[in-house]
Amino acid sequence: FWSMMHANGIGTTRPISIHLQDTDPTALRRLLRFVYGGDHPNYDKMSRGEMRDLLVVAELFTCNDKSCTSRCACKEMKLIVERIIISSGFGADNVCDLLHFAHLKNC
């Protein structure tokens, strides 16, 4: 995403608007606070739906370039949320839903 923006001449020298369809604003705000401030959201107070929204946003901005050796905060957030979702338990009532979601979101 970011490399595409810079390749197309969109730098950080002028303000721009980016419209992210199907992106939860609260999840994006939580991710940005983690990336730029190191602030972890209060995971214990988040619903499973909020966790999924956060995971979706983290996946959207995760660097998947194999040559990238820098710490990717979005990937770190994604791994944290994946662990929490897995450790929160799953059963016959939600295992298929979780597997489908994991497949769609590269978990």
Side-chain angles (χ1 to χ4, degrees):
F1 175 79
W2 300 114
S3 59
M4 182 178 66
M5 283 182 57
H6 289 289
N8 291 320
I10 302 173
T12 57
T13 58
R14 61 186 167 114
I16 58 170
S17 291
I18 300 172
H19 299 280
L20 302 171
Q21 294 180 350
D22 302 325
T23 301
D24 181 69
T26 301
L28 182 58
R29 196 173 308 112
R30 286 176 172 148
L31 179 68
L32 291 174
R33 286 183 179 150
F34 177 75
V35 170
Y36 292 105
D39 299 332
H40 286 269
N42 190 345
Y43 303 110
D44 294 335
K45 293 188 178 186
M46 292 173 64
S47 70
R48 183 167 275 187
E50 290 173 316
M51 289 281 196
R52 285 182 174 201
D53 291 342
L54 185 54
L55 193 125
V56 167
V57 173
E59 167 64 21
L60 180 64
F61 292 103
T62 294
C63 176
N64 291 317
D65 185 354
K66 302 283 186 221
S67 64
C68 181
T69 57
S70 66
R71 175 186 161 267
C72 179
C74 294
K75 188 172 205 165
E76 186 178 332
M77 173 60 75
K78 184 179 173 204
L79 292 172
I80 291 168
V81 174
E82 286 173 356
R83 280 188 220 116
I84 293 169
I85 290 174
I86 290 169
S87 68
S88 69
F90 47 92
D93 60 328
N94 66 356
V95 70
C96 290
D97 183 45
L98 284 173
L99 286 171
H100 182 252
F101 179 78
H103 174 73
L104 291 175
K105 301 304 174 191
N106 299 311
C107 298

